[in-house]
Amino acid sequence: MGVAAFPAGFLWGVATSAQQIEGAVAEGGRGESIWDRYASVPGNIKDGSDPSVACDHFHRWREDVELMRELGVNAYRFSIAWPRVLPSGVGRVNAGGLDFYDALVDGLLAAGISPFVTLNHWDVPQALQDHGGWTSRAAVDAFTAYADAVSRRLGDRVRHWVTHNEPWCVAHLGYERGAHAPGHRSPGGALRVAHHLLLSHGRAVEVLRRNAPGAEAGIVLLLSPVEAATDSPADRDAAREFDGEFNRWYLDPLFGGAYPADAVADRVRRGHLDGAGLDFVFPGDMACIATPTDFLGVNYYSRAVVRAGPDGRPLQIRPVPDDQLTDMGWEAHPRGLRDILVRVRDEYAPAAIHVTENGAAFGDPPAAPAAPGPIADPRRVEFLRAHLEAARDAIAEGVPLRGYFAWSLMDNFEWGEGVARRFGLHHVDYATQQRTARASAHWYRDFIARGAIEDDAPQHHTRRRP
Ligand code: IFM
């Protein structure tokens, strides 16, 4: 395979999000978030945990920056907790909340780590939800004001800004399937939510350009290559439909200024749009959504293999035996990372791409954290190695990939799954808050230091002839 060609200036990072690591949900003037509220309802979080303490990063952030320094990463993707900055959703800005991020940004820069800031990683102020949350167009103005407050304070030092993380998850898991906060089940509402998210992205990009001149702004999408389970026309059509609602519903407006016509027709056929159609789209919205950005963030975890369900609706199937799946039930499919990056480049031509999340949940051997040294996690090491190889292949094919962020720096609150799913390069003991490196942390550290992927075959170091 030879030496990898990751371009100079490549961002090697780790990623987290505020609600998943910070804890301290009632400190420093922070308001309630929709995830605080959702997690307080029995049954909503599978293991009964909640994010009130999580990794206690709010108090331990210096220790966590030190972990990153030891990894040798040069970038850290984290998110700002919206209700720390605007506890009531609108109006008064909580300067104390911004102080926390101000200190974090300075701490990162002092450690030689570039802050890569996400504004919305799902923890919407509950006060906004009480007025409809993302179903209301007023959320667009609220988000724009929030983007303004944060970028006024941090725009002099933060060079990379993400507006939203994975709008599909917000809209479809939160408002269609009821599996995420706020727990609604309304397919039509989800499309309205998706539109408001995209519109607020466009508005926020304008604000970021004003408050952080010269910085780069983009959005992060969860993307998967979609394959039909069989070659039957029904399965192929189901794959097309799935691709339309999962990938193209977001990519097409962001890069082409229009929702995909076939996917709109699917939604009408499924009764998800009433006679009024896309009545939430106002003149000027689509041009705003398509405001040019500096990069697209791609979160990649797996491919989607799809067959037609009884009513023709796309149904995702598990294409490999259960013992080959991660603890999330997801297939590790490294080639899919190369495939989605090449597709995005070919069909949408973003100015640059970052892999803003990639990683796997695996449990540890029972006694592992007690043993000395790093915790063995060979499956995570192999996952990272194979995906970085796929990223390298995409670069070799001309994809403008500029960064890679492993999910995640440490175990954290995995939304509806709770703390039972562990994605961390570092193990977190939630009773003591002790962080312990896994072997994958050391592997990633060494990989970054080498800046290369070794040959699969053993290296033979032969003496050069004089
Ligand atoms: O933990 C999440 C993250 O918040 C968003 N992307 C997927 C990760 C793993 O499920």
Side-chain angles (χ1 to χ4, degrees):
M1 181 185 341
V3 175
F6 288 97
F10 197 79
L11 294 184
W12 291 109
V14 284
T16 65
S17 87
Q19 184 86 60
Q20 294 178 273
I21 64 166
E22 283 183 5
V25 294
E27 287 183 52
R30 181 186 181 280
E32 188 186 19
S33 78
I34 58 170
W35 272 94
D36 299 336
R37 178 72 64 92
Y38 181 78
S40 73
V41 176
N44 276 352
I45 308 299
K46 281 190 190 155
D47 65 0
S49 61
D50 68 52
S52 57
V53 177
C55 306
D56 196 30
H57 171 79
F58 186 75
H59 298 113
R60 297 168 191 264
W61 65 268
R62 289 181 184 80
E63 182 188 341
D64 294 334
V65 171
E66 186 54 23
L67 291 182
M68 290 180 238
R69 215 186 47 73
E70 285 167 11
L71 280 177
V73 295
N74 60 11
Y76 173 43
R77 176 171 176 244
F78 64 97
S79 77
I80 309 281
W82 188 347
R84 265 192 212 291
V85 178
L86 283 137
S88 310
V90 292
R92 184 183 65 83
V93 172
N94 175 31
L98 284 169
D99 289 345
F100 171 70
Y101 299 106
D102 203 271
L104 175 61
V105 163
D106 283 347
L108 288 165
L109 290 172
I113 299 168
S114 189
F116 202 105
V117 170
T118 302
L119 290 168
N120 171 32
H121 201 122
W122 309 352
D123 44 1
V124 173
Q126 179 61 39
L128 284 182
Q129 195 61 45
D130 295 341
H131 292 96
W134 286 112
T135 60
S136 162
R137 202 169 160 100
V140 176
D141 293 334
F143 181 72
T144 310
Y146 162 58
D148 183 54
V150 177
S151 55
R152 272 177 198 272
R153 184 72 176 270
L154 305 180
D156 57 339
R157 283 154 291 158
V158 172
R159 300 291 83 198
H160 292 90
W161 293 90
V162 170
T163 53
H164 297 294
N165 182 71
E166 301 177 351
W168 179 88
C169 292
V170 175
H172 293 269
L173 299 181
Y175 287 82
E176 180 170 3
R177 294 193 195 164
H180 274 192
H184 293 186
R185 290 172 193 272
S186 157
L191 299 177
R192 183 178 299 274
V193 164
H195 184 70
H196 292 155
L197 284 161
L198 291 169
L199 178 60
S200 67
H201 154 79
R203 292 261 187 87
V205 167
E206 291 168 20
V207 167
L208 294 169
R209 298 234 185 281
R210 192 174 64 230
N211 292 346
E216 299 190 2
I219 189 168
V220 165
L221 301 180
L222 177 64
L223 297 176
S224 291
V226 183
E227 295 169 30
T230 73
D231 223 17
S232 75
D235 286 355
R236 288 214 313 269
D237 196 55
R240 176 204 56 75
E241 183 172 343
F242 186 93
D243 184 52
E245 64 186 45
F246 189 81
N247 294 320
R248 290 183 287 118
W249 196 270
Y250 300 90
L251 286 163
D252 282 22
L254 286 165
F255 292 95
Y259 289 108
D262 65 313
V264 173
D266 289 335
R267 302 274 69 77
V268 171
R269 188 162 49 96
R270 302 275 174 217
H272 296 170
L273 287 168
D274 57 21
L278 303 175
D279 62 343
F280 41 77
V281 180
F282 290 12
D285 283 5
M286 300 314 291
C288 179
I289 291 170
T291 300
T293 49
D294 302 296
F295 65 87
L296 173 68
V298 174
N299 288 357
Y300 176 74
Y301 288 90
S302 194
R303 65 174 167 170
V305 181
V306 172
R307 72 172 177 81
D311 55 355
R313 274 288 281 160
L315 271 185
Q316 250 185 288
I317 61 159
R318 291 179 169 174
V320 295
D322 283 2
D323 63 357
Q324 290 174 31
L325 301 171
T326 71
D327 287 356
M328 296 295 283
W330 301 341
E331 177 201 13
H333 187 68
R335 181 77 184 162
L337 176 58
R338 174 262 168 212
D339 293 348
I340 196 68
L341 293 175
V342 168
R343 177 191 179 187
V344 163
R345 186 271 316 267
D346 289 349
E347 296 182 20
Y348 299 97
I353 304 178
H354 293 273
V355 173
T356 34
E357 286 180 28
N358 178 234
F362 291 119
D364 299 307
I375 300 164
D377 61 341
R379 294 207 290 169
R380 189 176 286 100
V381 170
E382 174 52 21
F383 185 99
L384 292 177
R385 191 203 63 74
H387 283 78
L388 283 165
E389 183 181 320
R392 194 279 320 265
D393 288 349
I395 292 171
E397 291 180 59
V399 170
L401 188 65
R402 303 283 184 257
Y404 174 93
F405 294 79
W407 184 271
S408 176
L409 169 66
M410 56 190 163
D411 297 335
N412 55 52
F413 177 74
E414 177 55 27
W415 310 111
E417 301 290 326
V419 293
R421 301 283 173 260
R422 293 180 178 270
F423 277 90
L425 299 181
H426 295 90
H427 173 274
V428 174
D429 178 336
Y430 291 105
T432 63
Q433 288 297 342
Q434 185 172 341
R435 282 84 159 122
T436 306
R438 292 194 170 99
S440 54
H442 289 187
W443 182 89
Y444 192 44
R445 174 196 67 194
D446 295 346
F447 174 83
I448 294 169
R450 278 199 315 272
I453 296 177
E454 304 292 349
D455 283 344
D456 285 330
Q459 301 289 294
H460 297 292
H461 299 285
T462 47
R463 198 175 293 217
R464 271 171 200 248
R465 287 207 184 122

